[in-house]
Amino acid sequence: SIKAFFVFSLCKYYIRVTVSFLCPLDFVFIIDSSRSVRPSDYEKVKIFITNILAFLDVGPEATRVGLLQYGSVVQNEFSLNTYSSKADVERAVKAMDHLATGTMTGLAIQYTMETAFTEPEGARPADLHIPRIAMIITDGRPQDTVEEVAAQARQAGIQIFAIGVGRVDMNTLRVIGSEPHSEHVYLVANFSQIETLTSVFQSNLCGGITDLCSVMDHPCDHLCVSTPASYMCRCREGYKLRPDHRTCQSKSMALMDLVFVIDGSKSLGPANFELVKQFVNGIVDSLDVSGTGTHVGLLQYSSKVRTEFILGQYTSGRDINRAVLQMQYMGRGSMTGAALRHMFEYSFSAKEGARPDIPRVSIVFTDGRSQDDVSKWASKAKDAGITIYALGVGKAIEEELREIASEPDDKHLYYAEDFSNMGEITDKLKSRMCKDMCKCENVMLFQRQVNEQLRRLTQNNILYSPVVVYIL
């Protein structure tokens, strides 16, 4: 979830245990004040900032806060050494005036690096190792280049969180934000949703914690192990850590041929489509993707069906993650039935990489009513042995989801009212798939082993030997 990622990314990089039990930060907000930001949305950004301040220990020896806003020019509202109390900072934020000009994001990053984080402006000396954090909030495409200057800022030791609102290009946010992007880059559909990000901070963030696991809502599936400056997840005996470094899987790994069927209709919108990409990659990160492990394919559909990649085309989770991020949003109608037909007729064919005797699974995602019938091709797919998990968000129709999903519904159907709850769906689905596929894989593994033994016995003319039968 956004909460877990944001809290742990900050603590992972910035928790320092000092004699005074403080975790001081030099924290600079960089606010897009361009004309595309409506006055009402500008006020929501102010509220977002003040809500974040509520969880920071602001003071000269604790966290110092600076803020600049930008349009066609950069305007420094206050520096890291301007205010020494949280109340003063909050008053200054509420008093800001909207610039309502262009979008020179690169210029703002350059100012942050060259001016905002200098000692004359209140940044503490580098040899004190006080973390330097910049949080950029933007709603539009930059009118200048950002890649080079953002890279320079990160190389200078500035950790950058990039928050995009609305139609911001996700690739631009990734160019700006620090690695890993899953912990530093966020995109929400509108300014009303930006308020949901305030929950990522907890009141005891960086508050003298020596045993993080005991006081934080950590994401570790099995065991959490505290370290002097962070935490790490570990698994119980018989399990191993998945690539997401949080969840565990049995060492007797379940493998499958998995095909995503993703709704790319216009009702999603570009921002939510980026969230769907994150959802897909979250599932992929929990799998053992390899030539001999799990294979993954993906279809996107709107008025037409488009194969983004077929089973076995990629043999690593990283390659699949990259292919998912490069998907282009279709943004037209919603022909879920046609997508199910394509999945059934083509995606699990030998020509497209499906393997014999391997569990076949499809995850179908939709956010609204289909413009065609879904029951016929969903039934054909399920009758052919394909396990289907149906995921619905927003205006998805429960009746359609039930027609799509395998039985029982309570194990194969998931619904969320809005995209902010996608993280909960991801966690539940990963847990259920692990249970279902591990059980299925164990049965199939036993069957393959028996068949192999029978084949060998037959080849060696042993199976029909009376002596052997007598011994058995």
Side-chain angles (χ1 to χ4, degrees):
S1 67
I2 290 176
K3 175 181 177 181
F5 276 141
F6 219 155
V7 170
F8 297 123
S9 59
L10 280 172
C11 286
K12 178 178 179 181
Y13 288 100
Y14 309 130
I15 291 182
R16 296 176 65 245
V17 180
T18 65
V19 174
S20 59
F21 297 106
L22 293 175
C23 178
L25 309 172
D26 285 344
F27 198 128
V28 174
F29 291 95
I30 306 171
I31 307 304
D32 183 346
S33 188
S34 58
R35 63 176 64 91
S36 60
V37 180
R38 296 176 299 181
S40 59
D41 291 334
Y42 185 73
E43 293 303 314
K44 291 174 183 175
V45 174
K46 290 184 181 182
I47 294 171
F48 173 67
I49 295 171
T50 55
N51 287 340
I52 291 177
L53 290 172
F55 301 109
L56 297 177
D57 181 20
V58 178
E61 303 304 320
T63 292
R64 300 182 183 182
V65 179
L67 187 148
L68 59 93
Q69 60 175 328
Y70 69 94
S72 300
V73 297
V74 178
Q75 180 168 302
N76 185 40
E77 294 295 330
F78 51 89
S79 302
L80 290 167
N81 58 2
T82 303
Y83 299 113
S84 58
S85 73
K86 187 183 303 184
D88 289 339
V89 174
E90 290 176 348
R91 278 191 290 270
V93 170
K94 292 176 181 178
M96 291 193 307
D97 292 323
H98 189 195
L99 299 180
T101 54
T103 312
M104 301 296 285
T105 309
L107 185 65
I109 297 173
Q110 184 173 0
Y111 180 94
T112 303
M113 175 179 61
E114 296 180 350
T115 304
F117 281 114
T118 61
E119 292 185 37
E121 292 293 311
R124 281 160 284 194
D127 59 5
L128 293 180
H129 303 292
I130 304 297
R132 296 181 174 182
I133 308 172
M135 181 179 290
I136 299 177
I137 305 171
T138 180
D139 86 322
R141 187 182 298 275
Q143 295 175 333
D144 55 357
T145 58
V146 297
E147 183 171 5
E148 183 177 352
V149 68
Q152 291 174 352
R154 295 192 300 267
Q155 290 170 5
I158 302 171
Q159 294 290 331
I160 304 178
F161 289 85
I163 300 175
V165 181
R167 297 184 178 181
V168 182
D169 178 38
M170 193 66 173
N171 290 329
T172 300
L173 295 177
R174 293 191 188 96
V175 164
I176 294 173
S178 294
E179 294 276 5
H181 291 150
S182 61
E183 298 178 359
H184 293 85
V185 176
Y186 302 89
L187 180 63
V188 294
N190 52 57
F191 282 93
S192 294
Q193 288 189 12
I194 197 173
E195 295 180 12
T196 64
L197 295 179
T198 59
S199 63
V200 303
F201 290 93
Q202 296 181 345
S203 59
N204 57 6
L205 180 62
C206 296
I209 303 169
T210 57
D211 184 5
L212 292 177
C213 296
S214 67
V215 296
M216 298 180 71
D217 183 19
H218 64 76
C220 298
D221 193 14
H222 285 183
L223 307 173
C224 178
V225 179
S226 295
T227 65
S230 186
Y231 73 97
M232 66 181 87
C233 297
R234 289 287 182 263
C235 298
R236 293 189 291 269
E237 186 175 354
Y239 292 81
K240 65 180 181 179
L241 205 61
R242 289 194 174 100
D244 61 8
H245 300 293
R246 299 188 304 276
T247 58
C248 299
Q249 63 192 15
S250 172
K251 288 184 178 179
S252 56
M253 169 66 67
L255 73 146
M256 69 190 88
D257 283 344
L258 170 63
V259 174
F260 288 93
V261 180
I262 301 302
D263 187 345
S265 60
K266 60 185 177 183
S267 59
L268 264 78
N272 286 333
F273 187 68
E274 294 298 329
L275 295 178
V276 174
K277 290 183 184 181
Q278 293 179 25
F279 157 75
V280 172
N281 280 339
I283 297 295
V284 170
D285 288 343
S286 70
L287 303 173
D288 177 29
V289 178
S290 65
T292 58
T294 290
H295 290 184
V296 178
L298 190 145
L299 305 176
Q300 182 187 170
Y301 71 93
S302 59
S303 298
K304 297 181 179 180
V305 183
R306 184 170 72 204
T307 299
E308 300 290 349
F309 50 88
I310 63 174
L311 289 166
Q313 182 172 340
Y314 300 110
T315 56
S316 75
R318 180 177 298 179
D319 289 341
I320 292 174
N321 290 158
R322 189 178 298 113
V324 170
L325 295 176
Q326 291 174 351
M327 285 196 307
Q328 297 298 310
Y329 173 48
M330 297 175 77
R332 302 185 69 181
S334 184
M335 303 291 283
T336 312
L340 291 169
R341 176 177 182 175
H342 188 103
M343 178 267 286
F344 167 68
E345 292 187 336
Y346 300 104
S347 298
F348 287 107
S349 66
K351 183 179 179 180
E352 295 208 356
R355 298 166 290 179
D357 300 326
I358 298 295
R360 297 180 175 185
V361 181
S362 182
I363 297 176
V364 179
F365 173 87
T366 180
D367 86 321
R369 182 185 296 274
S370 176
Q371 295 173 337
D372 59 355
D373 177 63
V374 300
S375 59
K376 176 181 177 180
W377 295 105
S379 295
K380 284 181 175 290
K382 289 180 286 189
D383 290 344
I386 300 170
T387 300
I388 304 179
Y389 294 89
L391 279 65
V393 174
K395 296 182 179 179
I397 306 302
E398 182 178 354
E399 181 181 353
E400 283 188 359
L401 295 175
R402 294 187 184 280
E403 291 177 338
I404 294 170
S406 292
E407 294 183 351
D409 292 346
D410 61 339
K411 294 182 179 179
H412 297 90
L413 189 157
Y414 298 88
Y415 173 79
E417 291 185 358
D418 56 59
F419 283 85
S420 65
N421 295 325
M422 286 282 287
E424 296 179 12
I425 288 183
T426 304
D427 293 339
K428 291 178 181 178
L429 178 59
K430 286 191 292 188
S431 176
R432 171 49 54 186
M433 286 179 64
C434 178
K435 293 177 182 178
D436 290 349
M437 290 304 108
C438 285
K439 183 185 298 182
C440 180
E441 173 62 14
N442 288 337
V443 173
M444 298 191 72
L445 177 61
F446 174 74
Q447 181 180 346
R448 289 197 297 270
Q449 290 172 340
V450 170
N451 289 338
E452 179 63 19
Q453 290 297 325
L454 290 173
R455 184 185 65 79
R456 291 178 180 176
L457 290 170
T458 302
Q459 285 180 344
N460 295 329
N461 296 318
I462 294 175
L463 184 61
Y464 302 104
S465 167
V467 176
V468 174
V469 171
Y470 175 76
I471 292 173
L472 293 174

